[in-house]
Amino acid sequence: MTKVAALSDVHGNVTALAATIADAKAQGADEFWFLGDLFMPGPGAHDVVEMLRELNVTVWLRGNWDDFMFAALERTVDYNKPTRVYTARLSAYVMQHMPKADYDFIMALPVSDTRNVEDLTFTLSHNMPNKNAGHELLPMSDQYYFDALFLGRDADVAIYGHTHQMIYRTASDGRAILNPGSVGSPFSLKRKMRQNREARYLMLDIEGTRFATDFRTVAYDQAAEMALAEERGLPYLDLYRNLVYEGLGYVHDASTVAKENDRYGYDAETKDMLRELRQAYK
């Protein structure tokens, strides 16, 4: 039997990742699959990369938030869009707190992969197999998109991340589709269900053609996470506090982000930081 811990969507939450790894080790995980979005908006940078490198990570994918670093560094940031400044400023923070080798490693990662374990084949992606962003695989999405996880792939089980919600459902032909939820930022459209802020991940027990699922929730010290964020000078600290304690995200909330940008001068600060980073990353 092989025990696999499937993790996704850490989003820079150092304390939640540490608690999740400790729980997975206690459960006897033989290997780890990471499905992307390691960074932002939390304070994790080089340390979260190293935490995964110390494990037997046999699948490591690149998420859409990880791609924000590339967008900030290689493209022109639209400073008329507050949320673009938000992701660019957070990207600059991450890149300032890790060596360029980490950036190169993350940017070279795939957005999907295939893994054979025992007598089963798993297709793994952050979102769709050919793109790590988008809204195709929300719980209420059309069955077509879930079936598309298997298109061109001779796999028995599909696992994806991105939505921050634990899922066990099937394709039209009965093959299993799983989502481990989010380590650092669990989500629900229903406010009551967002009150549980524990880290989420999936343990798989695989033996032959049989697999059993254990969708796990792990408590972690939220106050310690916020203390770390403050100590490290994390930008958008108040917004991160609302995410950690209340599950409120701001990547699509232009009005709130604009107020923070004006309050702290993030527009000009981001321009200066990215100018320096582009020189350093040449």
Side-chain angles (χ1 to χ4, degrees):
M1 183 174 70
T2 305
K3 295 177 75 69
V4 179
L7 284 59
S8 191
D9 296 276
V10 172
H11 286 284
N13 192 325
V14 179
T15 316
L17 178 58
T20 299
I21 290 171
D23 187 80
K25 287 180 176 180
Q27 297 301 311
D30 298 302
E31 61 182 272
F32 290 77
W33 297 343
F34 181 64
L35 306 183
D37 276 2
L38 185 56
F39 306 114
M40 296 176 269
H46 178 64
D47 51 351
V48 290
V49 176
E50 287 300 295
M51 288 164 72
L52 290 184
R53 280 180 173 152
E54 292 173 357
L55 307 172
N56 181 28
V57 179
T58 56
V59 172
W60 193 329
L61 305 181
R62 190 182 79 249
N64 60 305
W65 277 71
D66 304 324
D67 280 348
F68 285 149
M69 292 190 297
F70 178 86
L73 203 61
E74 302 294 335
R75 300 172 187 167
T76 300
V77 176
D78 187 347
Y79 289 93
N80 293 315
K81 295 183 177 180
T83 57
R84 297 291 175 85
V85 177
Y86 175 67
T87 55
R89 178 62 185 86
L90 288 168
S91 295
Y93 168 86
V94 172
M95 288 185 283
Q96 282 194 324
H97 289 80
M98 69 182 188
K100 183 176 181 295
D102 284 355
Y103 172 88
D104 293 339
F105 170 76
I106 296 296
M107 289 302 107
L109 292 172
V111 299
S112 63
D113 204 348
T114 300
R115 181 73 175 162
N116 297 312
V117 181
E118 304 274 338
D119 297 323
L120 291 173
T121 300
F122 295 81
T123 179
L124 303 139
S125 55
H126 183 67
N127 182 47
M128 298 298 290
N130 61 346
K131 63 191 288 276
N132 61 6
H135 300 100
E136 295 88 349
L137 296 172
L138 297 173
M140 70 293 290
S141 295
D142 190 273
Q143 182 67 38
Y144 166 83
Y145 295 108
F146 292 95
D147 291 345
L149 287 168
F150 292 102
L151 287 178
R153 289 166 172 78
D154 184 19
D156 305 298
V157 180
I159 306 180
Y160 73 101
H162 189 53
T163 69
H164 297 209
Q165 299 171 82
M166 289 176 161
I167 290 174
Y168 190 141
R169 61 175 292 162
T170 65
S172 295
D173 61 7
R175 283 182 285 183
I177 298 171
L178 311 172
N179 189 311
S182 171
V183 170
S185 180
F187 176 75
S188 174
L189 287 171
K190 190 172 179 61
R191 182 176 180 180
K192 180 179 180 180
M193 301 307 294
R194 288 201 302 268
Q195 291 177 5
N196 181 352
R197 305 307 305 150
E198 293 178 337
R200 317 290 169 85
Y201 80 102
L202 171 64
M203 280 294 302
L204 290 167
D205 291 352
I206 306 166
E207 187 170 10
T209 59
R210 168 197 167 276
F211 71 94
T213 58
D214 182 5
F215 288 90
R216 298 189 62 79
T217 62
V218 183
Y220 73 95
D221 191 336
Q222 297 165 320
E225 175 66 12
M226 288 312 307
L228 180 66
E230 187 169 4
E231 176 187 328
R232 294 185 178 182
L234 180 71
Y236 302 99
L237 183 67
D238 290 338
L239 302 191
Y240 187 56
R241 180 177 292 106
N242 292 341
L243 176 66
V244 168
Y245 285 110
E246 301 179 42
L248 300 177
Y250 295 92
V251 72
H252 301 298
D253 186 348
S255 176
T256 300
V257 170
K259 292 175 183 177
E260 294 295 291
N261 290 344
D262 291 342
R263 179 183 178 187
Y264 292 103
Y266 283 140
D267 291 53
E269 185 177 80
T270 301
K271 289 179 183 178
D272 292 340
M273 293 179 71
L274 290 179
R275 188 181 303 113
E276 294 177 3
L277 283 165
R278 286 170 183 145
Q279 290 295 322
Y281 272 52
K282 279 186 177 180

